[in-house]
Amino acid sequence: MRPWIVLLCLVLVVPAAFAAPMQTPPSATTTATPPVPSDVPLLAPVVVSGVVSGPGLWKVSKGDHVLWVLGTLSPLPGHIQWESHEVEQVLAQSKQVLLEPKIRLKADIGFFGKLFLLPSAYGARKNPDGKTLDQVMDPSTYQRWLALKQKYIGDDRGIERWRPLFAAQELYRKALKANGLSNDGGVSGAVAALAKSDGVPETPVEYRVEIQHPRDALKAFKAAAPSDMECFSRTLDSIEHDLPAMTARANAWATGDLGALRQLPDSHRRDACVTAITSAGFARQLGLDDVPAQLEAVWLAAARKALTDNASSFALLPMGELLSPTGYLARLAAQGYTVEAPIGLDAEPATAGSAAPAPAGSAAAH
């Protein structure tokens, strides 16, 4: 992937974290979190580990055609082995797997262009005019940054010259890893392996943006970069105060406790960081200011096509879009599709085409 595209994808795909090594004990267990200094905010007492099945599947149907949807979550416990017999049964009978919606950037650039753009891409990651973080934010925010940086990153002087948006992303990634959390717990990889074993093709669901003039795009980024202090401050808040809730949400997903997932608060850090990108001047120039709406439209079109073409299909979708009364599945319900939540999830206010929770294990019958 082109270096400047890596740069933009880094801030658009938030949050990111290195996956922790997977364990394979015989059954789901809980282990105590590693000891941390006394001044570090404490996580929930235990983090789920071992073999877990995760949440049940949502069922979207029209006539006798069905789309089964697994809600994904980030972060998840870092030491889980996800195994869902329900998903295995559904995939064995599915004709298509819809991957999570993503943005794909494509640039018209050759080999020499990559060489010349590499230094520029790294330059775009840094604050303009060689400024350091203490020069672009108020003293109290900077002191909060220093305390968390020391805990999770250490004595890295180079990061002090990064833009707050990039520095926040790196801090968040390190904090998750240090506290036993991972990006997706290996779920997407496990689904891919099952689909390959069953010969079920995976279909990327992408909003494609083609950049005709990459060099001009880099200049646009530098000239109209994100106002990223809201993202930076929200990231500090999340690490200081929200890690216990993140851990509880991760545990709830692993154990299939959808009621807890609905009730546990979300810091909305990701929303603040994505907004910082999509509202910046350069984003409008590149056609990135309407990404959420475009991603929704692309996924809904792919879901409708899968429901038309296949008797049974499978999809991965962020849990927030399943639990929200205005999410992707609510949009399908409003268009006349029947949407059934798994057992264990209280019904939302009635929407067009909605129905009672699907029986556990009902996937095997379809």
Side-chain angles (χ1 to χ4, degrees):
M1 183 176 286
R2 280 68 175 175
W4 81 272
I5 291 179
V6 173
L7 184 70
L8 288 179
C9 284
L10 174 65
V11 293
L12 281 169
V13 183
V14 181
F18 285 142
M22 302 264 287
Q23 295 181 341
T24 56
S27 60
T29 60
T30 56
T31 58
T33 53
V36 294
S38 59
D39 56 345
V40 177
L42 293 179
L43 293 178
V46 293
V47 178
V48 168
S49 67
V51 179
V52 301
S53 60
L57 300 179
W58 270 255
K59 178 183 178 183
V60 182
S61 60
K62 196 161 194 179
D64 57 356
H65 285 207
V66 180
L67 173 66
W68 298 95
V69 185
L70 174 66
T72 59
L73 187 71
S74 182
L76 285 178
H79 299 278
I80 59 171
Q81 179 185 350
W82 176 73
E83 292 182 2
S84 170
H85 296 302
E86 184 181 18
V87 170
E88 290 178 10
Q89 292 170 340
V90 165
L91 280 174
Q93 300 171 51
S94 293
K95 301 300 182 184
Q96 183 181 18
V97 173
L98 300 182
L99 300 180
E100 287 192 54
K102 296 182 183 295
I103 179 174
R104 178 172 293 277
L105 304 179
K106 181 181 178 182
D108 182 12
I109 176 176
F111 174 73
F112 289 102
K114 285 193 287 185
L115 294 181
F116 286 114
L117 277 179
L118 183 60
S120 297
Y122 280 107
R125 186 176 66 178
K126 296 180 178 179
N127 285 309
D129 303 322
K131 290 183 177 180
T132 53
L133 288 174
D134 63 323
Q135 295 174 312
V136 298
M137 65 185 63
D138 63 85
S140 62
T141 301
Y142 182 69
Q143 288 304 312
R144 292 172 64 200
W145 153 259
L146 277 184
L148 293 171
K149 175 195 168 188
Q150 187 60 39
K151 290 185 182 95
Y152 295 116
I153 298 177
D155 298 322
D156 183 345
R157 296 184 181 180
I159 200 172
E160 291 291 326
R161 296 191 178 277
W162 290 13
R163 293 178 184 269
L165 190 70
F166 294 99
Q169 178 69 6
E170 179 68 4
L171 176 65
Y172 186 77
R173 183 178 67 82
K174 295 278 191 176
L176 292 187
K177 186 178 180 181
N179 287 291
L181 299 171
S182 73
N183 189 31
D184 77 343
V187 172
S188 59
V191 168
L194 287 171
K196 182 177 181 180
S197 175
D198 291 327
V200 183
E202 292 186 314
T203 302
V205 182
E206 300 171 341
Y207 169 49
R208 297 171 179 260
V209 178
E210 184 167 359
I211 311 302
Q212 298 290 345
H213 305 288
R215 194 178 301 276
D216 291 342
L218 272 176
K219 291 179 181 178
F221 179 85
K222 293 179 179 180
S227 176
D228 45 9
M229 282 312 301
E230 175 65 21
C231 169
F232 187 84
S233 296
R234 191 66 66 89
T235 300
L236 299 187
D237 291 342
S238 290
I239 297 171
E240 288 174 335
H241 307 297
D242 297 339
L243 278 169
M246 289 184 207
T247 304
R249 285 171 58 82
N251 287 348
W253 186 97
T255 58
D257 190 345
L258 295 173
L261 266 180
R262 172 171 285 167
Q263 295 173 9
L264 287 165
D266 189 333
S267 68
H268 301 293
R269 183 198 78 90
R270 183 183 185 279
D271 294 342
C273 294
V274 170
T275 298
I277 295 294
T278 58
S279 62
F282 86 97
R284 291 189 290 273
Q285 296 181 44
L286 301 182
L288 299 175
D289 53 332
D290 60 348
V291 166
Q294 293 289 350
L295 284 176
E296 178 183 287
V298 168
W299 189 88
L300 290 177
R304 289 192 297 264
K305 187 175 189 304
L307 281 160
T308 299
D309 295 347
N310 308 314
S312 181
S313 306
F314 179 83
L316 294 167
L317 202 58
M319 186 64 75
E321 296 298 343
L322 308 184
L323 296 177
S324 170
T326 59
Y328 290 9
L329 295 195
R331 302 294 187 197
L332 285 177
Q335 295 171 9
Y337 294 86
T338 299
V339 177
E340 303 173 52
I343 278 183
L345 183 64
D346 293 335
E348 281 291 291
T351 55
S354 63
S362 61
H366 293 269

